[in-house]
Amino acid sequence: MAALPCQSETDSLQDDFLTCGICLEVFTDPRILPCLHTFCFKCLCIYSKSLKSSLRPLLCPECREPFPEENGFAKSNYFINGLTELVKCRTSTVCKCTPCSLRDKTSRAERKCLDCGDFLCSACSLGHNASSQTLGHQIVTFGDLQEGKHDTRLRELQKVMCKQHQDKHVEYFCQTCSQPHCISCVLISHRDHRMQPIEEAVQCIRSVIKEKVQAVHEDFQEISKQENELLSLNNDLELKKEIKERLIKQNAKREIDKVHSRKSVSLKKLTDEMEAAQKEQENMLQKVLQLKGVMGSCADFCDHILEKAKDAELMMMEPMVTRRLQQLKDRRLLSENILQQDDRMVENDEAYMNKPVTSVLKSEETQDGNHNSQTAVHGQLELKSTAKKSVLKFQRKFNTRNKSDLKMPDIKGMAYGLNIGLVLSDLANKKIKVFNSNGELRREIMCDMFKPFDVAVAGNIIGSVSENFLLIFTSEGRMKTRIKLNKNKTYESLPFTYSLAAAEHVGFVVGNTPGDNRLRLYGLDGTFTRYVNCRTRPPLASLSVTPAGDVVISEWGSGSLRLLSKEGLDKWRSEKYESGWNPNGNCVSTHGTIFVADYEWGGVCVYSPDGTNTIDHSTARDGLINPSYVAVDEDGLLFVSDKKGNVNVYQI
């Protein structure tokens, strides 16, 4: 690494601040990338050429952030360039006398004029102030320069030159064009523009950048806190593993005749779970460390700019600095529910460790479907299942947030289509997202003034409610039509918007119409067909259609789950609790089995076609605390989502 001399102007900088991270020398023609890391122009050219020759993407050598090839390193770092010029000026000791060189003589320079920049030998330095033009010039020795005694004066003499007029330095800021310019630019091409001396314009810019830097510092502290929490959780995983192994082995020894055949299975399952959890925590820790490094280096660089950069330097770099700071402010690597889920896992593990091994193994057998009976207590209702009862087996989970999302998802509806996939409406990001069963994003659907709430799928058609309108899309995301649902209202003001369901043999079913307790039916082309003459009690949280054409309603007004016939007659009703029930999203399988999300309890309730409550499965034990929506595919996979876009997948 190149060593820097003793400094005063740069004594607060790190030793490697003026050193290129590629060649490890003091910068030569420094160029700044969008991520605010700086390298020599020649080093960047060689680096990018080597990446392109191996068909690899262009990434910053420091933080691995991508940068565009066409102009990614075309911008000079005026701040670094000014400091490196200062270093070179102080370190130049073997120089020829400038006046002597003009007379074809060679003399060793011992001093330098700070005003005109001439190097002077001992003789010329004596006569340099003899002229009226150089009478007030300040002459200093090389020793004083090396000690940094005149750094402030040297920095004052440095000028940022205009791009258009290279013999003029930047003096003014054009408020019309938002660009710094020299006096020639002002007189020639910016005569009618609003101009301001750069010393005045920089005051506002400094305050804006200072505020954004402070915000990044605060985010940096939060990331550091998350890092410590993840490290603590990682250590807890190891400790819990040791405790669980010891308890399982001790209990297995006492009851070896009953559970010996199951001990090895339990230990293997325990190890797999801990390894998976530990791997997930390590991955998150790596991402946190990477983001911490990016934020830290960016904030340090901006601190130096605010403290050391000249006004013109700061104004020339302001757009790139501001843009980068805003990018870091908007970035969120970790969602809040990650650490919350880890805390819940710790609580569940403590309860798990207090169980005797016989009950632990017995519950595992029940989850695997080996036992034919089970008792589940849910609120005030105790259920006894039979050998024919459905079992929900947790498979995997995924999150529906993607890189294009500007906000945390706010899911308002979910449905599944055989030819389309898993469809979710995200109100926060104003889009519909389509995933395959593995959680891979297929496409996003967006349009003007789109505020998607409930969503439904039938064949190759996707329908979504947006305020007072029903929007119908093709499976590729092209909008076919837009129907106004209530012509007497210009917008939807109910606490629950219109509820929506769809099926190829029925069309679209719409509920929650203000002032009308009936259900409306529309064709898949958006044509109104008829009313279902029934009396619902809004708000209706969710609708779905059975293979027979009946309608399942999550009816909060009556605190029940209802099944209505095509004619609007009640087939059955499940009130679940004496104190009232608020069932959330529901769906129906191809066999007529009904699934409904219970947000308050934290699980999924399963009903047979005749209304028998066959199973209540807690999704909280699988990390999903408040399930809100459900959807089922043709292969027996049940998707359960909360409002933040976390999806659990179960095999029925």
Side-chain angles (χ1 to χ4, degrees):
M1 181 180 295
L4 298 180
C6 178
Q7 311 169 34
S8 62
E9 183 72 14
T10 58
D11 57 3
S12 62
L13 303 178
Q14 297 180 0
D15 292 341
D16 60 349
F17 186 73
L18 298 180
T19 302
C20 174
I22 298 178
C23 65
L24 303 181
E25 298 292 340
V26 176
F27 288 111
T28 302
D29 190 8
R31 300 299 178 95
I32 187 168
L33 298 179
C35 59
L36 303 188
H37 287 124
T38 303
F39 304 93
C40 300
F41 179 66
K42 182 178 179 181
C43 294
L44 277 177
C45 292
I46 297 173
Y47 173 73
S48 63
K49 184 177 180 181
S50 64
L51 291 180
K52 287 189 290 186
S53 62
S54 58
L55 301 179
R56 290 182 291 171
L58 294 180
L59 302 176
C60 170
E62 184 75 19
C63 66
R64 314 307 295 172
E65 290 265 336
F67 62 89
E69 177 182 357
E70 60 272 9
N71 58 1
F73 49 84
K75 298 186 182 299
S76 296
N77 190 327
Y78 296 93
F79 173 52
I80 295 295
N81 193 57
L83 293 180
T84 54
E85 288 298 325
L86 176 65
V87 172
K88 292 178 182 178
C89 180
R90 296 207 323 260
T91 55
S92 299
T93 57
V94 181
C95 300
K96 297 180 181 180
C97 175
T98 303
C100 291
S101 298
L102 296 175
R103 300 192 300 271
D104 296 330
K105 295 182 179 181
T106 302
S107 301
R108 180 186 178 90
E110 298 178 357
R111 292 175 173 81
K112 181 177 181 177
C113 177
L114 295 182
D115 294 276
C116 62
D118 286 351
F119 292 96
L120 305 172
C121 62
S122 57
C124 291
S125 63
L126 295 175
H128 191 70
N129 296 119
S131 169
S132 60
Q133 295 182 350
T134 59
L135 179 63
H137 286 198
Q138 183 180 1
I139 302 173
V140 299
T141 65
F142 283 169
D144 289 344
L145 286 177
Q146 292 174 354
E147 293 176 3
K149 294 181 178 180
H150 304 284
D151 280 0
T152 303
R153 177 62 177 162
L154 289 173
R155 284 288 282 163
E156 291 175 354
L157 294 174
Q158 289 179 342
K159 304 295 182 183
V160 177
M161 309 310 293
C162 177
K163 293 182 179 179
Q164 284 74 29
H165 308 91
Q166 298 185 1
D167 59 335
K168 306 289 185 182
H169 62 271
V170 173
E171 298 181 78
Y172 298 93
F173 179 74
C174 178
Q175 295 179 330
T176 305
C177 304
S178 297
Q179 289 289 337
H181 294 287
C182 67
I183 184 64
S184 297
C185 293
V186 174
L187 297 176
I188 296 173
S189 56
H190 298 265
R191 182 173 299 174
D192 298 329
H193 292 186
R194 295 175 57 193
M195 307 303 297
Q196 187 180 15
I198 206 163
E199 293 80 3
E200 298 178 5
V202 76
Q203 299 301 322
C204 179
I205 297 301
R206 280 186 182 274
S207 62
V208 172
I209 294 181
K210 184 176 181 180
E211 182 179 348
K212 292 183 179 294
V213 171
Q214 180 61 34
V216 172
H217 277 302
E218 293 174 359
D219 289 344
F220 180 81
Q221 296 298 326
E222 183 63 26
I223 290 296
S224 299
K225 180 180 178 181
Q226 292 180 355
E227 175 194 5
N228 294 332
E229 291 176 347
L230 286 172
L231 288 172
S232 177
L233 286 171
N234 196 34
N235 294 333
D236 290 342
L237 285 173
E238 288 293 336
L239 179 60
K240 287 185 295 183
K241 179 182 176 182
E242 296 176 1
I243 295 174
K244 284 185 179 182
E245 285 184 345
R246 183 172 64 254
L247 291 176
I248 289 174
K249 291 178 180 179
Q250 290 174 352
N251 291 337
K253 185 176 181 180
R254 288 194 299 266
E255 303 179 19
I256 192 66
D257 56 329
K258 297 180 181 179
V259 298
H260 186 272
S261 61
R262 296 286 300 170
K263 182 178 68 173
S264 59
V265 176
S266 299
L267 290 174
K268 184 179 185 304
K269 179 178 179 181
L270 170 65
T271 302
D272 292 343
E273 289 177 351
M274 291 299 104
E275 289 178 352
Q278 185 176 5
K279 184 177 180 181
E280 183 176 354
Q281 296 295 341
E282 290 174 351
N283 291 338
M284 289 304 304
L285 177 60
Q286 291 300 320
K287 293 179 180 179
V288 167
L289 291 174
Q290 182 180 1
L291 182 56
K292 177 184 177 183
V294 171
M295 284 188 170
S297 62
C298 177
D300 290 343
F301 179 80
C302 293
D303 286 337
H304 292 315
I305 287 183
L306 291 172
E307 181 181 356
K308 300 295 183 180
K310 294 174 63 63
D311 295 346
E313 294 169 350
L314 179 60
M315 295 303 297
M316 296 296 288
M317 298 175 63
E318 179 272 331
M320 179 182 296
V321 173
T322 302
R323 183 168 58 253
R324 180 56 175 169
L325 290 172
Q326 187 61 46
Q327 290 174 354
L328 294 180
K329 177 61 180 174
D330 293 340
R331 181 181 296 182
R332 287 294 182 270
L333 175 65
L334 296 176
S335 60
E336 297 178 356
N337 64 328
I338 293 176
L339 294 177
Q340 293 176 355
Q341 291 179 5
D342 289 330
D343 292 339
R344 291 194 296 267
M345 185 179 68
V346 172
E347 295 173 359
N348 292 336
D349 287 339
E350 291 174 353
Y352 184 92
M353 288 188 293
N354 292 329
K355 291 184 179 181
V357 70
T358 52
S359 62
V360 172
L361 298 178
K362 187 173 182 180
S363 65
E364 291 173 356
E365 292 175 351
T366 303
Q367 294 174 25
D368 294 336
N370 294 331
H371 280 194
N372 292 330
S373 62
Q374 167 184 333
T375 300
V377 178
H378 174 21
Q380 300 175 6
L381 184 63
E382 182 174 305
L383 304 173
K384 293 187 177 180
S385 60
T386 64
K388 297 181 180 180
K389 186 186 71 176
S390 301
V391 175
L392 302 183
K393 187 174 182 180
F394 177 73
Q395 297 290 309
R396 57 186 174 275
K397 61 182 176 181
F398 61 89
N399 189 279
T400 59
R401 187 176 186 182
N402 55 65
K403 295 180 180 179
S404 65
D405 289 347
L406 300 179
K407 299 180 180 179
M408 180 70 68
D410 182 11
I411 304 302
K412 294 299 183 183
M414 182 169 68
Y416 185 88
L418 174 61
N419 301 322
I420 298 177
L422 185 65
V423 181
L424 297 97
S425 58
D426 185 348
L427 177 61
N429 295 289
K430 299 180 180 180
K431 65 178 70 171
I432 291 176
K433 303 175 181 177
V434 182
F435 297 83
N436 62 19
S437 58
N438 293 322
E440 299 170 346
L441 182 66
R442 287 182 172 177
R443 68 183 61 86
E444 295 179 336
I445 301 175
M446 295 177 285
C447 61
D448 294 337
M449 300 179 67
F450 191 30
K451 297 181 180 179
F453 271 77
D454 213 348
V455 66
V457 177
N460 292 319
I461 298 297
I462 300 174
S464 178
V465 171
S466 177
E467 293 186 325
N468 195 28
F469 294 91
L470 171 61
L471 278 63
I472 300 178
F473 302 89
T474 65
S475 58
E476 291 79 19
R478 179 177 58 85
M479 187 168 69
K480 295 182 62 177
T481 185
R482 176 177 172 173
I483 304 100
K484 191 171 184 180
L485 295 174
N486 190 342
K487 297 181 179 180
N488 298 324
K489 279 185 173 290
T490 57
Y491 61 92
E492 177 57 67
S493 58
L494 290 177
F496 275 78
T497 185
Y498 297 93
S499 53
L500 182 67
E504 287 188 272
H505 57 292
V506 175
F508 288 105
V509 183
V510 179
N512 272 349
T513 304
D516 189 350
N517 292 337
R518 298 174 296 179
L519 300 177
R520 294 185 181 189
L521 298 185
Y522 294 82
L524 296 182
D525 60 352
T527 304
F528 175 75
T529 57
R530 68 182 180 90
Y531 288 103
V532 177
N533 291 314
C534 60
R535 294 189 61 83
T536 61
R537 296 178 61 183
L540 310 182
S542 179
L543 300 175
S544 60
V545 181
T546 69
D550 300 330
V551 181
V552 182
I553 305 176
S554 294
E555 190 176 75
W556 282 25
S558 65
S560 65
L561 183 71
R562 295 177 63 186
L563 180 66
L564 296 182
S565 67
K566 303 175 185 178
E567 295 75 22
L569 301 177
D570 267 307
K571 285 194 169 183
W572 54 261
R573 179 197 302 262
S574 175
E575 296 183 348
K576 198 70 174 177
Y577 309 112
E578 295 179 359
S579 58
W581 184 29
N582 289 337
N584 289 83
N586 65 66
C587 67
V588 185
S589 71
T590 55
H591 303 293
T593 303
I594 300 171
F595 303 87
V596 58
D598 191 326
Y599 178 89
E600 295 179 352
W601 167 55
V604 175
C605 306
V606 185
Y607 289 82
S608 64
D610 62 1
T612 302
N613 188 184
T614 59
I615 186 173
D616 291 343
H617 180 88
S618 171
T619 59
R621 63 191 303 276
D622 305 318
L624 196 66
I625 301 299
N626 299 120
S628 300
Y629 310 100
V630 289
V632 62
D633 71 1
E634 71 282 356
D635 295 325
L637 288 181
L638 178 66
F639 303 90
V640 186
S641 171
D642 63 10
K643 294 182 179 181
K644 295 182 180 180
N646 301 300
V647 178
N648 280 13
V649 184
Y650 296 88
Q651 181 68 54
I652 304 172

